[in-house]
Amino acid sequence: MNIQPPKPAATPAIARDAVELQAHVATWRSAGQSIGLVPTMGALHDGHLSLIRAIKGEADRVVVSIFVNPTQFGPGEDFKTYPRDTEADLGKITAAGGDLVYLPGLGDMYPDGVTSDISAGPLGDVMCGASRPGHFDGVASVVARLLRQCLPDVAIFGEKDYQQLLVIRHMTATLNLPVRIIAAPILRQPDGLALSSRNRYLSAEDRVSAAALSATLRDLAARAGTPASNDGASLRALEAEGRQRLLDAGFTRVDYLDFRDGNRLERAEQASGDTRVFAAAVIGGARLIDNMAVTA
Ligand code: PAF
């Protein structure tokens, strides 16, 4: 029997500016192929790779963009120190089956100056938008540019950044961008911690304590779904309990822990099929976010 070794994954092409990106996209389009885009800021982990694998089922060709976008970082945030490891990222994209890596420079994304010129609207004002003013305008501004440059049929975003996903859906609808936005479920470590590029900021001790975030949300989501907890006062009491549990577990600040509806992000007065529990909290050097659907 002649057993062939597995074929090594093809190395993706690299586009370093929008002109190169559009040349690749035009070639694929003329062959009748559809395009999927996975926007990232690099420092890729298995969560990103799951996005690449998921979008491969939706499009013939997969473009992965890597751009650490300055407009979504506030003053004093980690823009300068945000992990950058393009070599390692390229290897991971190859293994996950990406076709093209788009590595634009600052001037490609912001030729007229580094500014957020697209508003996220009211969805960007609550939760992470309240503690990181301007963050979602920065996200909307860069994702709109990436979508216009690439003009994909479909783009994918993870549900860990659930608020970001809603802001992007809203932005594409208001700008009439002809792209389908799809969502991918949160990938978690065995102890429940949602995968994030910022988890690498955690010390070994804080990494253990960080599991309290998903454990607390899971418990609250289950209890909010029971008839005994299903009114505004009970949901507020569960939120207060959750915040205290995070502080007791070693988190030093809880930016929010809220039950909200999963479409408009309004505070929930009772749990329904749409309700989710959302939290952002700081432990050691990392601000972690997570969210879960209420299991009614
Ligand atoms: O989720 C991210 O990594 C970023 O916010 C995104 C969508 C790539 C925009 O810079």
Side-chain angles (χ1 to χ4, degrees):
M1 201 174 27
N2 182 10
I3 299 176
Q4 300 287 327
K7 255 174 69 186
T11 313
I14 293 180
R16 295 196 181 270
D17 59 34
V19 174
E20 287 180 20
L21 168 69
Q22 283 156 3
H24 284 278
V25 169
T27 305
W28 292 332
R29 289 260 178 240
S30 63
Q33 295 179 324
S34 58
I35 315 291
L37 175 66
V38 186
T40 81
M41 297 205 300
L44 302 183
H45 51 66
D46 285 348
H48 295 111
L49 305 185
S50 77
L51 302 182
I52 299 174
R53 294 195 184 99
I55 207 167
K56 280 172 76 70
E58 305 284 331
D60 299 314
R61 295 291 184 165
V62 176
V63 178
V64 181
S65 65
I66 300 179
F67 178 68
V68 184
N69 170 39
T71 63
Q72 69 189 78
F73 290 81
E77 289 188 356
D78 54 346
F79 172 64
K80 287 221 167 70
T81 55
Y82 194 83
R84 289 160 171 89
D85 192 351
T86 308
E87 276 313 304
D89 289 344
L90 291 178
K92 291 174 189 172
I93 294 168
T94 303
D99 294 291
L100 177 69
V101 184
Y102 180 38
L103 298 172
L106 197 60
D108 299 297
M109 301 309 291
Y110 295 104
D112 297 328
V114 180
T115 172
S116 292
D117 47 8
I118 296 182
S119 164
L123 282 171
D125 292 339
V126 296
M127 298 191 337
C128 284
S131 31
R132 305 181 69 192
H135 168 69
F136 289 109
D137 295 340
V139 170
S141 299
V142 78
V143 174
R145 284 162 165 79
L146 290 167
L147 293 173
R148 283 180 183 144
Q149 291 173 354
C150 182
L151 293 178
D153 300 274
V154 56
I156 190 165
F157 298 87
E159 284 188 342
K160 186 178 83 67
D161 299 297
Y162 195 93
Q163 186 173 11
Q164 165 172 283
L165 172 68
L166 294 188
V167 163
I168 290 167
R169 280 194 202 284
H170 176 260
M171 178 272 292
T172 55
T174 51
L175 297 181
N176 295 308
L177 296 181
V179 59
R180 193 159 55 91
I181 301 297
I182 59 173
I186 301 176
L187 233 61
R188 297 181 180 281
Q189 299 279 0
D191 68 355
L193 181 69
L195 298 195
S196 163
S197 304
R198 290 190 170 103
N199 289 350
R200 64 182 77 188
Y201 297 157
L202 294 168
S203 68
E205 194 188 335
D206 289 339
R207 168 64 193 82
V208 174
S209 308
L213 179 57
S214 60
T216 301
L217 295 191
R218 194 174 302 286
D219 178 45
L220 296 185
R223 284 163 58 200
T226 62
S229 306
N230 198 353
D231 58 52
S234 309
L235 294 181
R236 300 294 86 80
L238 286 177
E239 290 166 352
E241 178 194 319
R243 283 193 289 272
Q244 191 56 51
R245 274 167 67 172
L246 294 183
L247 295 172
D248 293 345
F251 283 80
T252 49
R253 194 180 86 215
V254 181
D255 284 346
Y256 59 85
L257 189 158
D258 294 351
F259 287 96
R260 293 182 179 257
D261 89 86
N263 297 312
R264 299 163 62 88
L265 299 182
E266 284 162 359
R267 287 302 279 275
E269 294 306 325
Q270 62 176 62
S272 73
D274 271 350
T275 311
R276 301 182 80 85
V277 58
F278 297 90
V282 174
I283 185 164
R287 180 179 180 279
L288 305 181
I289 61 173
D290 201 348
N291 71 90
M292 274 177 213
V294 165
T295 43

